[in-house]
Structure formats: C-alpha cells, structure tokens
Amino acid sequence: MTALLAFLVAVSAAGPAKELHVRVALDGSGTCITTWNDERVDKDGLMARARAWPDKESSVHVDGGPDVPYRCLGGTIYALQMAGFSKVGFIAAPPPRRVVIGGDRRCRLKLDGRRITLDALRVESSRWASEDADVHFQPNPRATYQCVGPVLKILKDAGVGKMGFVGNIRAETPGEDK
C-alpha cells in the first residue's frame, strides 16, 4: 500500500506530459534535418530522446511539409515506433486556397467559398508566397478575360508559385461541335 501511495504521489508531482513535436525538413544539400521540440537532433539524438520520453502513450506530432521526401519522414516515424510510441500523427499542410470566378458579367469572385473583392484578394494573396500556399484557380468556362485577367495578375504579383487550374474539363474548345 505504501509503495502504491508513493507511486501515485510521484506521478501526480510529475504533472501531465508535455506535448511532443518533431519537425522534419531538408537543408540546401538535401540532408534530412530533424528537430525535437524545436531543438535540432541527429538520428542518435532522436532515438535517445524518444527512448527517454516518459509517456509513450502520448501523441507525437510529426510535421514534414509538402516538400520533404518520404525517406526523411519514414526514418523519423520508424525511430519513434522503435522507441515505443504507438500514436504518431501528422500535422498536414493546409488545404489549397480556392479562387473561383463566376460566369456572369459581374465577375463574381470567391475565395475558399466566400465572396471577395479584387482588393481583398490582393491583400490576402500577398501572404501566400511566404506560406508556400497551393492555389486552385477555377474560372467559369463562360468567364471573360476581363474577369480572369486581373485575378491572374494579382496571383502572379503575389508570387504564388504553386497554382493549378481546376474544372477546365468543362470548358469548350473553339471550333468543336457541341
């Protein structure tokens, strides 16, 4: 009974386990870089810290970003599993931004499902390059260049590097029979 009481006192004094974050990135030479709670660690350091972590039932959050190759993520996940962690979760990249242009002459513009003006799009898109955001651009097939052109210029001026056109399958090819 005394041993049980001593154990319970020790556990309650330790308090709740901290949340564990492991980040994986690439340096300029293509080498995998791992950080443990914002401190850089090598492979041996990762294993040592993972084995020493007191609460193996706590969740480990692994953040790798969209440009990190699986060899880096897989090695980190394997090390965490070998150290005894059973709950490894990923912090996913945010969903792509969705820019939609309507097909009427009013050039109705939506960003992520909500109506927006060109000026508001200019302000919001200015942050996307630093966030490395993906943008899905979906002009209505009936939208005119007078509507589409200014939006494309805003996205170009914002430095959006990853943009895809969505829904072009519905567009009509000039000269094709309907």
Side-chain angles (χ1 to χ4, degrees):
M1 183 71 155
T2 306
L4 177 60
L5 184 57
F7 173 75
L8 292 175
V9 169
V11 168
S12 65
K18 285 177 29 180
E19 193 168 297
L20 176 57
H21 290 275
V22 177
R23 288 184 175 79
V24 182
L26 280 182
D27 68 6
S29 68
T31 302
C32 302
I33 298 172
T34 304
T35 60
W36 175 281
N37 284 341
D38 296 325
E39 186 176 332
R40 189 172 174 169
V41 293
D42 61 10
K43 190 186 309 182
D44 294 335
L46 175 65
M47 281 302 291
R49 288 180 187 217
R51 285 187 176 131
W53 190 258
D55 183 11
K56 298 291 195 286
E57 292 300 313
S58 62
S59 293
V60 180
H61 302 283
V62 178
D63 179 10
D67 298 325
V68 176
Y70 186 75
R71 67 180 167 82
C72 298
L73 292 169
T76 302
I77 293 167
Y78 179 77
L80 293 168
Q81 288 174 334
M82 295 310 308
F85 286 97
S86 58
K87 300 176 190 172
V88 179
F90 289 95
I91 298 173
R97 307 296 254 158
R98 191 169 186 88
V99 178
V100 178
I101 301 176
D104 61 11
R105 293 193 182 274
R106 289 188 249 168
C107 301
R108 293 182 190 193
L109 183 62
K110 287 186 178 182
L111 173 62
D112 299 331
R114 62 181 165 76
R115 304 255 333 248
I116 191 170
T117 65
L118 285 174
D119 288 334
L121 177 65
R122 189 173 290 108
V123 170
E124 289 208 31
S125 66
S126 67
R127 294 186 293 267
W128 297 350
S130 64
E131 297 171 2
D132 200 27
D134 290 335
V135 176
H136 288 182
F137 183 61
Q138 184 176 2
N140 185 293
R142 293 184 307 275
T144 64
Y145 183 76
Q146 286 76 19
C147 294
V148 175
V151 174
L152 286 173
K153 181 170 181 358
I154 288 170
L155 297 175
K156 178 182 177 251
D157 291 348
V160 171
K162 295 191 257 179
M163 183 173 76
F165 286 82
V166 179
N168 289 334
I169 193 95
R170 295 178 292 180
E172 297 172 10
T173 305
E176 274 190 4
D177 291 333
K178 295 181 185 177

